[in-house]
Amino acid sequence: MSSNDDLRTLRTIQNKLAVVQTFIKNYHDSNQCEIEVRLQVLEEAYKDFFPLRESIELILDESEETSSIESSSKVSKEEAKKIRDDRNTQQLTEFENKYCAVKSQLLKLRPIPEPHQAIGANHVQAEQTASFTKVKLPEIRLPSFSGKTREWIVFRDTFLSLIEQNPNLNSMNKFTYLKSSLTGDALQEINSIDLSAANYEVAWKALQRWYENKKLIVKSHLDALFSLEPLRKETCDGLHYLVSEFEKNLQMLDKLGQDTANWSTLLAYMMCSKLDATTHRHWEIEHNSKDVPKYEELIIFLRNQCSVLQSMIPQKTSAAESQQFKSSACHSVVKVANKCPFCGELRHSPFQCTKFQRMNVSERTEAVMKTRLCRNCL
C-alpha cells in the first residue's frame, strides 16, 4: 500500500471518530440501541489507527521529507528525525485523547441497569445453585464392596463418580467414605492403613492393585452365566431373573472389551438349556425354523413371555369351593365308614382296621388308590 493510500485510510479512521462525536451531540433516547454499535465502531478505529500510523512513519523515513526539512531549516539528519518523531507523537497523543473523550461520553449515555439486571450470568447461576443446594435431597448410598471380583467394576465406577471426582470433598472425606463402604476381605485389604488425608491415595491404589484384574473379572462373569440354575417350572419371577442375570453379565463383559455380539449361537444354546420344559416348548413353536436361532430373538421372546405370565394372575379358590372340596374329600371316607373297605367287616372304620395297620407304606398306598379313599384323611 502507498503512502497516499495509508493517509486516506488514516483520514477515514479519524472521520469515524468525528461521526461518533456527531452522534453524541445529537443523541436522543430513541438512539439508545445504537450505543453498543457505536462503541464497537470506536474500538475498531482505535485498533486500526496505531499500526497504520506506524506504517506511514516507515514510509516517511524513505521519503523526501527529511531532505526538505534539511534544506529548508538547515538542520542535521538527526535533528530532522527528531522533529518528525515529535510530530508523530503529538498526532498519536491527540488521537488517543480524542478517542478517550468520545468513549467516555458514549459510556455516560448508557442506561443505568436496574439492581436485578446488574447481576451477571455467573451470579445468577451461583444463586440458582445455592438455592438448589438448600433442597433436602435423599441421601446417596454408596454400594458396599465386600471383595467379590464381580462387584468391583460397579463399585469402582460409582465411587469415582460420586466421591473421587467430587470437588467439594477433601482427601480425608474421601478416605472416610471409602472405608465406610468396604466390608469383608476388601476392608481387610486397607485396614492396616492409617486414616489420614495423605493415606487416601495409598488405600485407593491398594484396592486397585488387588481387584483391578481384568482376567479374573471376565472369568467371574462367565462363571455367573454358566452357574445359573435351570428353571424347574414356568414362572414370571424365575424367567425374569434368568433374563436379567444373562443381560447384566453380558453388559459387563461388553464393558470389559469382550465382543459378545459374536456369541449369539452359544448364548442362545446356553439360555435354552436353562429354560423349563413349558417355556422351551413355546419357544420352539415360536421359532419354527431350521435356522440357527439368534440370541436377540430369544431374549425378545422371553421378555414377551414375562409380560404374558405377569398378566396371568393366579385365581384364588373361594372359601365356598374350598369347603365343598373338604366336605367331598371327607365324605369319601365317611360314606363307607359302616363297612371297612380293607377287610369288609362292619364293626370298625378304615382308620381302625388292623389289616390296614399291618401293611407297609407301599401296600397302604396301593390299597388307598384301589379303594379311591382320601390319602390326607387316612
Side-chain angles (χ1 to χ4, degrees):
M1 184 181 290
S2 66
S3 176
N4 291 334
D5 291 337
D6 286 341
L7 289 172
R8 280 194 294 270
T9 307
L10 193 64
R11 283 193 293 271
T12 301
I13 292 174
Q14 291 172 332
N15 288 336
K16 287 182 179 180
L17 265 69
V19 172
V20 176
Q21 279 183 311
T22 304
F23 170 79
I24 295 171
K25 183 178 179 180
N26 301 325
Y27 177 75
H28 191 269
D29 290 344
S30 60
N31 304 124
Q32 180 178 320
C33 59
E34 297 182 30
I35 293 177
E36 297 298 329
V37 179
R38 301 286 179 178
L39 280 169
Q40 186 176 354
V41 171
L42 199 63
E43 291 300 324
E44 291 175 354
Y46 181 79
K47 181 180 178 182
D48 296 339
F49 176 81
F50 290 96
L52 187 61
R53 185 65 200 176
E54 184 179 354
S55 175
I56 292 173
E57 287 302 311
L58 290 174
I59 295 174
L60 289 177
D61 281 341
E62 301 174 357
S63 69
E64 297 178 355
E65 184 177 350
T66 302
S67 59
S68 63
I69 292 174
E70 291 174 352
S71 59
S72 61
S73 58
K74 305 299 180 182
V75 295
S76 65
K77 185 176 181 180
E78 290 75 13
E79 290 175 338
K81 185 176 186 306
K82 184 177 183 302
I83 293 172
R84 191 169 64 255
D85 289 343
D86 292 342
R87 188 186 305 161
N88 182 54
T89 302
Q90 183 182 358
Q91 291 182 2
L92 293 175
T93 304
E94 288 176 356
F95 179 84
E96 184 155 356
N97 290 339
K98 189 175 182 180
Y99 160 79
C100 292
V102 173
K103 185 172 182 178
S104 62
Q105 291 173 344
L106 267 179
L107 292 175
K108 286 181 182 178
L109 295 178
R110 266 181 170 177
I112 300 174
E114 297 294 329
H116 67 278
Q117 294 176 340
I119 301 176
N122 292 336
H123 295 287
V124 173
Q125 184 177 4
E127 286 189 357
Q128 291 175 345
T129 304
S131 62
F132 176 75
T133 55
K134 294 178 183 177
V135 179
K136 181 64 177 177
L137 296 174
E139 181 183 356
I140 298 176
R141 293 184 177 274
L142 287 171
S144 177
F145 179 59
S146 62
K148 293 182 179 179
T149 308
R150 192 154 57 101
E151 299 172 355
W152 167 249
I153 297 296
V154 174
F155 170 77
R156 180 200 66 186
D157 292 350
T158 307
F159 187 84
L160 289 176
S161 176
L162 297 180
I163 305 300
E164 170 64 23
Q165 298 170 4
N166 190 334
N168 299 320
L169 297 177
N170 56 36
S171 295
M172 188 63 185
N173 298 144
K174 293 175 182 179
F175 198 175
T176 304
Y177 275 113
L178 177 62
K179 208 158 190 178
S180 65
S181 58
L182 300 178
T183 61
D185 294 339
L187 182 59
Q188 290 298 322
E189 190 65 29
I190 65 168
N191 238 356
S192 59
I193 303 175
D194 293 334
L195 186 63
S196 66
N199 285 338
Y200 164 67
E201 290 293 335
V202 177
W204 180 245
K205 287 181 180 178
L207 288 174
Q208 286 183 310
R209 186 167 53 251
W210 185 254
Y211 293 106
E212 197 78 26
N213 189 325
K214 185 176 180 180
K215 180 177 72 173
L216 291 181
I217 296 173
V218 170
K219 180 180 180 299
S220 68
H221 288 288
L222 290 174
D223 288 341
L225 287 175
F226 280 97
S227 63
L228 284 171
E229 290 291 332
L231 299 179
R232 297 181 180 277
K233 60 179 181 178
E234 184 185 42
T235 62
C236 177
D237 291 340
L239 193 56
H240 180 270
Y241 174 78
L242 183 64
V243 172
S244 176
E245 285 297 301
F246 255 81
E247 290 291 275
K248 180 174 66 177
N249 285 286
L250 287 176
Q251 286 173 6
M252 294 304 299
L253 287 168
D254 282 330
K255 189 173 183 179
L256 291 164
Q258 304 304 302
D259 189 10
T260 61
N262 293 324
W263 300 0
S264 179
T265 302
L266 176 62
L267 292 174
Y269 173 79
M270 287 176 60
M271 177 65 84
C272 287
S273 68
K274 308 292 183 181
L275 297 177
D276 61 276
T278 304
T279 306
H280 197 173
R281 183 172 64 252
H282 289 327
W283 161 243
E284 292 297 336
I285 295 172
E286 172 72 17
H287 186 245
N288 192 26
S289 172
K290 293 182 180 180
D291 294 333
V292 177
K294 295 182 179 180
Y295 174 74
E296 293 78 8
E297 297 174 346
L298 176 56
I299 286 295
I300 293 173
F301 166 77
L302 294 178
R303 284 175 178 157
N304 291 335
Q305 281 295 104
C306 284
S307 300
V308 171
L309 293 174
Q310 192 174 18
S311 64
M312 296 175 61
I313 303 174
Q315 296 181 351
K316 295 182 179 180
T317 305
S318 63
E321 291 175 341
S322 179
Q323 185 62 35
Q324 181 181 359
F325 173 77
K326 290 180 180 179
S327 300
S328 60
C330 293
H331 182 66
S332 64
V333 173
V334 172
K335 68 179 181 179
V336 295
N338 293 330
K339 184 177 180 180
C340 178
F342 301 117
C343 65
E345 296 184 5
L346 300 176
R347 294 175 297 177
H348 57 262
S349 66
F351 303 101
Q352 300 170 332
C353 181
T354 55
K355 181 180 178 181
F356 180 77
Q357 292 174 357
R358 286 196 296 267
M359 296 178 182
N360 58 36
V361 176
S362 59
E363 290 174 341
R364 289 181 185 182
T365 302
E366 185 179 357
V368 170
M369 291 179 64
K370 286 182 179 180
T371 54
R372 297 184 179 180
L373 297 178
C374 177
R375 296 179 61 185
N376 293 331
C377 294
L378 289 170

